[in-house]
Amino acid sequence: MNVGQQLNLELLKYLLGPIAPYLEDPAVTDLFIYGHRDVYVKRQGARIEPVAAAWHSGTDLVLATESIAEIIHRRLDANHPILDSRLPDGSRVNIVIPPCYPQGACISIRIFPKERLTADDLLRFGTVDNAGLDILKALVALGQNILISGGTGSGKTTLLNVLGGFIPTGEIVVTVEDSREISLPRALWAALESKHALHEDDRAVTLQDLVHNSLRMNPKWVIVGEVRGAEALDLIRAFNTGHAGMSTVHANSAYDALVALENLVLQSGLDIPARAVKELVSRAIRAVVQVGQLPDESRKILEIVEVNGLDYAASPTFPPYHITSLYRFRFDGRDGRGRLTGRFESTGRPSFLDELRLRDIPTPEVWS
């Protein structure tokens, strides 16, 4: 963070004075403000709880949000009452003001971790075990295209950062995001961010623009923080033309993640037959990692699957995706403290075992 960003961050903390202590608390992951008197926090591994923080009035809170918008160079007023951006420290902020939120202002802040989580942290938290990490390392070493799927707050971006750390140091990586959340410990890395139009004569630079441009930067890896629009088509085209890649998507299962990606392409506005899109997706994505936040607030890698094209035997006309489960978390029940219990297990062997051996990549012990 440069000096200007640091000064802006200090000014933002002043404007958000009532919640400033929670912005500094390393245990706090999320803040929710519903009007000037109702403030809630979520801490790591705990449920959302109210806190004693408030502004003098709804007007004071709205004025503070408008000043925040100025500092981060975004527009927020009655004609543009929704702002979705990030703070100088990388924390994600969403603000809604009147007329869309008549009560004053509604603010959601996802706190950016002060320290980047590592694979060892995931092991310590019980998100995955050593066998699962070995499988993920093998997928990255092979340059397989990986889609990380899950709900909001399930740990998709955290896992994306960890997988990015497995990429060999000599390979060029380009990341594409709306708001910078990816952090990679490497030199050969170009981090691109989209740009919103600040006024009527300004031009926006979309994720689609950036994905399209990234292919001209000669990368080995193209990583999109989250695919949710027209950029989906450019992404699967890149994945089908020799580029390795990763991205995240909102979905409730590994299979649903493929369908979600397919639907995003179909919604891009281009006249592409549905079956052709399905073919593109089935060839572009080689593995899906499903993550989830459980009712006890823990996060787990629920399943890793290999995508083996389409299953024409099931339906020659419009075949479903053919996937093979490689690894999953099996639930057993709850312990005396109410936490969910279970175990990770290997559930299948991949089709690329020979390729691992051919390229002298360590074969995960569960497949040996």
Side-chain angles (χ1 to χ4, degrees):
M1 191 184 302
N2 60 38
V3 175
Q5 288 175 319
Q6 186 63 47
L7 289 173
N8 282 341
L9 185 59
E10 293 303 319
L11 181 54
L12 284 166
K13 288 176 182 176
Y14 171 76
L15 293 168
L16 293 171
I19 62 169
Y22 304 107
L23 292 171
E24 296 289 343
D25 187 341
V28 172
T29 60
D30 297 87
L31 280 156
F32 307 97
I33 302 161
Y34 303 120
H36 69 287
R37 288 180 298 189
D38 297 318
V39 180
Y40 300 82
V41 302
K42 184 180 186 305
R43 292 179 171 86
Q44 183 74 43
R47 298 187 183 279
I48 298 170
E49 60 182 349
V51 293
W55 280 259
H56 292 299
S57 68
T59 301
D60 286 345
L61 179 56
V62 171
L63 290 173
T65 62
E66 291 174 350
S67 298
I68 291 168
E70 273 190 55
I71 292 171
I72 60 178
H73 308 294
R74 293 293 172 89
R75 186 171 177 179
L76 184 69
D77 53 38
N79 292 322
H80 299 80
I82 298 175
L83 181 150
D84 190 70
S85 186
R86 67 179 177 90
L87 303 180
D89 68 347
S91 296
R92 187 188 303 167
V93 61
N94 183 277
I95 302 174
V96 186
I97 63 170
C100 291
Y101 191 78
Q103 298 90 326
C106 176
I107 308 174
S108 302
I109 301 175
R110 170 68 60 82
I111 306 295
F112 190 77
K114 300 296 185 289
E115 294 184 5
R116 178 180 172 274
L117 294 182
T118 65
D120 287 340
D121 291 319
L122 298 189
L123 289 173
R124 182 163 51 86
F125 296 150
T127 303
V128 68
D129 66 0
N130 282 301
L133 274 183
D134 287 345
I135 292 172
L136 294 172
K137 288 176 182 177
L139 290 169
V140 174
L142 277 177
Q144 304 284 50
N145 298 325
I146 302 169
L147 189 62
I148 301 172
S149 166
T152 301
S154 58
K156 297 187 298 298
T157 303
T158 296
L159 181 59
L160 188 65
N161 276 314
V162 170
L163 295 190
F166 297 155
I167 297 174
T169 55
E171 297 179 353
I172 295 175
V173 179
V174 177
T175 58
V176 175
E177 300 176 88
D178 266 332
S179 297
R180 173 94 166 266
E181 292 183 278
I182 297 173
S183 176
L184 303 179
R186 58 185 304 109
L188 293 173
W189 168 37
L192 309 183
E193 288 185 69
S194 64
K195 172 184 173 293
H196 293 259
L198 299 179
H199 48 77
E200 285 75 8
D201 297 325
D202 196 14
R203 179 183 178 275
V205 180
T206 66
L207 287 180
Q208 186 178 19
D209 296 329
L210 294 178
V211 172
H212 187 71
N213 183 76
S214 70
L215 306 183
R216 301 172 181 171
M217 300 170 68
N218 196 30
K220 166 64 177 177
W221 288 85
V222 177
I223 301 178
V224 177
E226 181 184 344
V227 59
R228 57 174 180 265
E231 70 278 359
L233 178 58
D234 294 273
L235 186 70
I236 63 171
R237 281 174 172 168
F239 287 3
N240 274 317
T241 54
H243 296 87
M246 304 180 203
S247 187
T248 74
V249 69
H250 279 76
N252 293 324
S253 71
Y255 192 94
D256 287 349
L258 298 169
V259 175
L261 188 59
E262 175 189 338
N263 288 334
L264 288 172
V265 176
L266 289 171
Q267 293 165 16
S268 65
L270 296 179
D271 186 18
I272 305 176
R275 174 153 174 174
V277 171
K278 210 172 186 69
E279 288 271 7
L280 283 172
V281 172
S282 71
R283 292 199 301 267
I285 304 300
R286 297 304 310 277
V288 182
V289 183
Q290 184 68 30
V291 296
Q293 184 174 24
L294 307 184
D296 63 0
E297 303 298 327
S298 64
R299 293 175 174 85
K300 301 286 185 189
I301 291 181
L302 300 177
E303 190 172 29
I304 302 173
V305 307
E306 181 186 11
V307 182
N308 305 110
L310 299 177
D311 188 354
Y312 292 99
S315 172
T317 307
F318 201 70
Y321 295 104
H322 183 211
I323 62 176
T324 301
S325 178
L326 304 179
Y327 173 89
R328 70 179 175 186
F329 182 75
R330 182 188 291 277
F331 296 99
D332 289 336
R334 289 181 182 270
D335 62 19
R337 295 178 298 170
R339 294 183 65 86
L340 291 167
T341 60
R343 64 187 186 278
F344 294 104
E345 60 184 16
S346 173
T347 51
R349 293 163 67 84
S351 64
F352 49 78
L353 279 177
D354 288 342
E355 190 176 354
L356 286 172
R357 299 181 184 114
L358 184 65
R359 294 173 54 181
D360 290 326
I361 295 171
T363 301
E365 189 174 336
V366 293
W367 296 338
S368 297

